[in-house]
Amino acid sequence: MTDALLARPAPRKRNAEATRAAILEAAKSQFALLGYDCAVLRDIAREAGVDVALVKRYFGGKEALFVEALRASFVGDGMRGWDRATIAQELATTLAGSPHEDEARTHRFQFLLRAATSPTTAPLLNVLVHDRFMDPIRQWLGGEDADARARVFAATYIGFLVERLVRGEALHGRERQVFIERVTAVFAGLMTDEAAGA
Amino acid sequence: MTDALLARPAPRKRNAEATRAAILEAAKSQFALLGYDCAVLRDIAREAGVDVALVKRYFGGKEALFVEALRASFVGDGMRGWDRATIAQELATTLAGSPHEDEARTHRFQFLLRAATSPTTAPLLNVLVHDRFMDPIRQWLGGEDADARARVFAATYIGFLVERLVRGEALHGRERQVFIERVTAVFAGLMTDEAAGA
DNA sequence: CCATGAAGTCAATGGGCGTTGACATGCGCC
DNA sequence: GGCGCATGTCAACGCCCATTGACTTCATGG
């Protein structure tokens, strides 16, 4: 028989840093996709091309890994480049699409959403939500009563994320168009600090 | 020794209907609180005062029980009595409060939310979301492009529910006031079928 | 009063998953 | 070159949970 049958599946280079990073990356992905409870260490390890035991060596356990992945998912590249003039429509267009496009930007927020709605992980979030989510939004919005407006803005955004998650696919035709118009209007309205004409 | 020690914990009356109902009630409660993945049949059974095996007898399994609990959680008492003139502010005021007030109404939505954000159960939702949630909103909204507007309305509403859930407590003072103003404005804007001035 | 079946109980099974510790192996330092 | 630590691999263990089937007990109709 050929030694192909005997060959191990690539003996993996010895590189602690790279391994650790690979695990973390896979964890971010799986946790965002499945949430804490449904994500499985074995799958995370496989996605990272690593043995499960290494998760313990490098992170200590599932929960510790989750916390680290959570923190790492909220590096503050947040809304730095958001342009006031166009962002409302950009967001609206993105939200009209399918959850499978735009993985990069959505990923972090989906992570947050999953974490927030699982009873296991929700307690871990309160601090982080403020520091990495609410606060940036608040600062970006600026103006009067930024706290309250940030709450409304964030809530609205989360709502649209959930809607898109449930919808599962992109909108089309006139429905898409109207959806985008309306969502744009909502965001735009929340960006100004003038009291809305209720 | 007294025979209190020998007494079984109330031999349970034989009543199929009542048992079934008790299980269903406990299921609704647990699933809403914990979500599908974290809820445990043993706990549901205990809360219902019933043996686990009966869950299988009456419902077939965990997933089937979940589906039934889901359907039962969406009795259509929905937005029947909503008054166009005041509902926006009513909703906003409720949403500014704590999730612990208004348990009755919140419960169903929490169930929906948990179900929507768990990858296990999300697929089961699409139909139901349309029939019991989107459709009523769509009909209630009426007017042009009701589909798209219903999506936006529903998404927004869900977003505020999540925000309130994460927040955990009522808002106070000026923040509360501004929050209510803004949310009212958002809802009011979504109720009209004139294209918003974006 | 007994046979029959429904309602309820109990113990066991099997699979999945996080965790663990023992073992192998490559890398750098003396 | 060879020792020793760091890195990686492997094979369990133990727990939790849904599911299952066999057993017990109650109620009803003949």
Side-chain angles (χ1 to χ4, degrees), chain A residues 33-155:
Chain A
L33 202 61
L34 298 173
Y36 179 80
D37 307 298
C38 293
V40 169
L41 283 192
R42 286 181 161 81
D43 289 345
I44 293 177
R46 184 178 323 133
E47 185 175 324
V50 150
D51 190 277
V52 204
L54 291 184
V55 172
K56 178 195 166 151
R57 192 193 290 296
Y58 285 112
F59 296 92
K62 188 182 186 182
E63 186 170 320
L65 173 62
F66 178 82
V67 172
E68 197 132 347
L70 192 57
R71 303 194 75 89
S73 278
F74 288 100
V75 285
D77 61 302
M79 40 222 68
R80 204 72 68 184
W82 283 14
D83 177 354
R84 288 195 142 61
T86 59
I87 189 60
Q89 182 151 16
E90 272 179 43
L91 288 178
T93 306
T94 301
L95 289 166
S98 126
H100 304 299
E101 319 157 10
D102 178 43
E103 300 241 353
R105 175 145 54 166
T106 309
H107 230 55
R108 292 165 30 222
F109 291 102
Q110 193 163 332
F111 199 138
L112 171 67
L113 177 64
R114 287 262 141 83
T117 53
S118 159
T120 320
T121 53
L124 304 170
L125 264 189
N126 275 327
V127 193
L128 226 49
V129 164
H130 263 84
D131 291 358
R132 308 287 179 95
F133 191 66
M134 286 306 210
D135 234 54
I137 290 184
R138 190 170 57 70
Q139 287 187 14
W140 183 81
L141 279 176
E144 300 256 321
D145 298 306
D147 299 307
R149 285 163 54 226
R151 279 192 189 282
V152 182
F153 193 94

Side-chain angles (χ1 to χ4, degrees), chain B:
Chain B
M1 51 181 65
T2 78
D3 51 5
L5 290 177
L6 303 174
R8 302 287 184 77
R12 179 153 197 90
K13 279 219 174 148
R14 297 198 163 216
N15 182 341
E17 260 184 68
T19 303
R20 211 190 123 92
I23 294 175
L24 198 59
E25 206 53 39
K28 289 200 286 187
S29 157
Q30 290 285 308
F31 282 139
L33 202 62
L34 267 30
Y36 180 80
D37 307 299
C38 293
V40 169
L41 283 192
R42 285 180 160 80
D43 290 344
I44 293 177
R46 185 179 320 134
E47 185 175 323
V50 151
D51 189 277
V52 204
L54 291 185
V55 173
K56 179 194 165 148
R57 191 193 291 294
Y58 286 112
F59 296 92
K62 187 181 187 182
E63 186 169 319
L65 174 62
F66 178 82
V67 172
E68 196 133 348
L70 193 56
R71 303 193 76 89
S73 279
F74 286 102
V75 286
D77 61 302
M79 44 222 66
R80 205 70 69 185
W82 284 14
D83 176 356
R84 290 195 140 63
T86 58
I87 189 60
Q89 183 151 15
E90 273 178 42
L91 287 178
T93 307
T94 302
L95 289 166
S98 126
H100 302 302
E101 317 157 11
D102 180 39
E103 296 239 357
R105 180 146 50 165
T106 308
H107 224 57
R108 294 164 31 218
F109 288 103
Q110 193 164 332
F111 198 139
L112 171 68
L113 176 64
R114 287 262 140 82
T117 53
S118 158
T120 320
T121 54
L124 303 171
L125 263 190
N126 276 326
V127 194
L128 225 51
V129 164
H130 262 85
D131 291 359
R132 309 286 181 94
F133 193 65
M134 286 305 208
D135 233 54
I137 291 184
R138 189 169 58 71
Q139 286 186 15
W140 183 82
L141 278 176
E144 300 256 320
D145 298 307
D147 299 306
R149 284 163 54 226
R151 279 193 189 282
V152 182
F153 193 94
T156 311
Y157 190 56
I158 290 177
F160 291 128
L161 285 170
V162 177
E163 192 275 330
R164 190 179 65 167
L165 204 63
V166 174
R167 184 191 345 128
E169 53 185 11
L171 293 173
H172 296 291
R174 178 165 178 80
E175 189 177 13
R176 171 186 170 90
Q177 192 182 332
V178 174
F179 180 91
I180 292 178
E181 270 172 29
R182 293 288 179 150
V183 175
T184 302
V186 170
F187 282 139
L190 292 173
M191 282 166 56
T192 156
D193 65 352
E194 299 161 16

